């Protein structure tokens, strides 16, 4: 099994959106038995809560299932269990990089690193900007590229 973890700050906007979008993309290509997908936050403010209403709305508008997604915080176990840890921005990437142990053998990258020549490097936080459509568009494109990357690398 290949395990992919999406990480943002509070795990209520960007990373659950990425989890839901990526889960749908994986299902569309029939790899849901090969790839496990989850999301978490580096902060603990929203543990146990459903995604932000703006995230739920944009996912609903695009017919993407968001059921069974609740906020949780990244754990040290996540850093040993997941093969691909995908941060939404440089701050979360830095936090994850500092957390990982010497035994970590997976990849930690920013999501938008998978979009070659992207003018944007960090997924903006719609909790502060309110622009869920922009965030959806960025995540959707990056998840398509990430899935292609994983399929090629893992020979799926």
């Amino acid at each position: 099994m290949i395990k992919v973890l999406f990480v943002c700050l509070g795990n209520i906007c960007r990373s659950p959106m990425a989890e839901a979008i990526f889960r749908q993309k994986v299902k569309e290509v029939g790899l849901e038995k090969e790839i496990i997908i989850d999301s978490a936050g580096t902060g603990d403010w929203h543990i146990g809560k459903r995604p932000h209403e703006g995230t739920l709305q944009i996912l609903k508008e695009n017919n993407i299932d968001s059921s069974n997604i609740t906020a949780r915080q990244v754990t040290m176990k996540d850093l040993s269990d997941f093969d691909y840890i995908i941060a939404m921005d440089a701050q979360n990437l830095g936090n994850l990089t500092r957390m990982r142990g010497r035994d970590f053998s997976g990849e930690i990258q920013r999501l938008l690193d998978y979009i070659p020549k992207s003018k944007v490097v960090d997924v903006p936080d719609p909790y502060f900007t309110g622009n869920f459509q922009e965030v959806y568009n960025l995540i959707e494109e990056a998840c398509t590229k990430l899935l292609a990357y994983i399929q090629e690398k893992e020979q799926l």
Side-chain angles (χ1 to χ4, degrees):
M1 295 296 282
I2 296 156
K3 296 181 178 182
V4 179
L5 180 68
F6 294 98
V7 179
C8 68
L9 189 59
N11 193 217
I12 60 166
C13 293
R14 298 171 291 172
S15 58
M17 187 185 299
E19 176 186 351
I21 291 169
F22 197 68
R23 186 179 293 139
Q24 179 164 313
K25 290 182 176 299
V26 165
K27 186 176 181 181
E28 287 171 356
V29 296
L31 292 174
E32 62 270 28
K33 292 187 182 199
E34 285 84 17
I35 302 175
I36 293 173
I37 304 139
D38 199 359
S39 65
T42 56
D44 64 358
W45 310 281
H46 304 290
I47 293 173
K49 294 182 182 173
R50 291 280 295 139
H52 187 283
E53 185 57 41
T55 293
L56 294 173
Q57 183 61 37
I58 197 84
L59 292 172
K60 182 179 178 184
E61 289 170 10
N62 288 279
N63 298 312
I64 297 174
D65 182 22
S66 63
S67 60
N68 301 320
I69 297 176
T70 56
R72 69 179 189 84
Q73 190 172 19
V74 175
T75 66
M76 292 304 290
K77 188 171 178 352
D78 290 331
L79 295 172
S80 61
D81 285 354
F82 284 87
D83 305 298
Y84 297 90
I85 301 178
I86 310 299
M88 296 298 121
D89 60 34
Q91 178 185 359
N92 291 299
L93 179 66
N95 291 337
L96 292 164
T97 302
R98 284 187 293 281
M99 285 177 68
R100 77 173 173 209
R102 282 181 243 171
D103 296 336
F104 179 73
S105 60
E107 291 187 24
I108 299 178
Q109 298 289 337
R110 277 186 300 204
L111 180 59
L112 298 186
D113 290 345
Y114 295 95
I115 301 177
K117 301 178 185 175
S118 175
K119 293 179 183 175
V120 181
V121 294
D122 290 333
V123 178
D125 192 341
Y127 186 83
F128 300 107
T129 69
N131 195 339
F132 287 86
Q133 185 64 56
E134 174 193 25
V135 170
Y136 176 87
N137 293 342
L138 288 167
I139 290 174
E140 196 280 330
E141 180 182 359
C143 280
T144 298
K145 305 284 188 185
L146 172 61
L147 180 55
Y149 173 81
I150 291 172
Q151 285 179 289
E152 183 178 326
K153 184 174 181 193
E154 305 290 341
Q155 300 177 354
L156 299 174

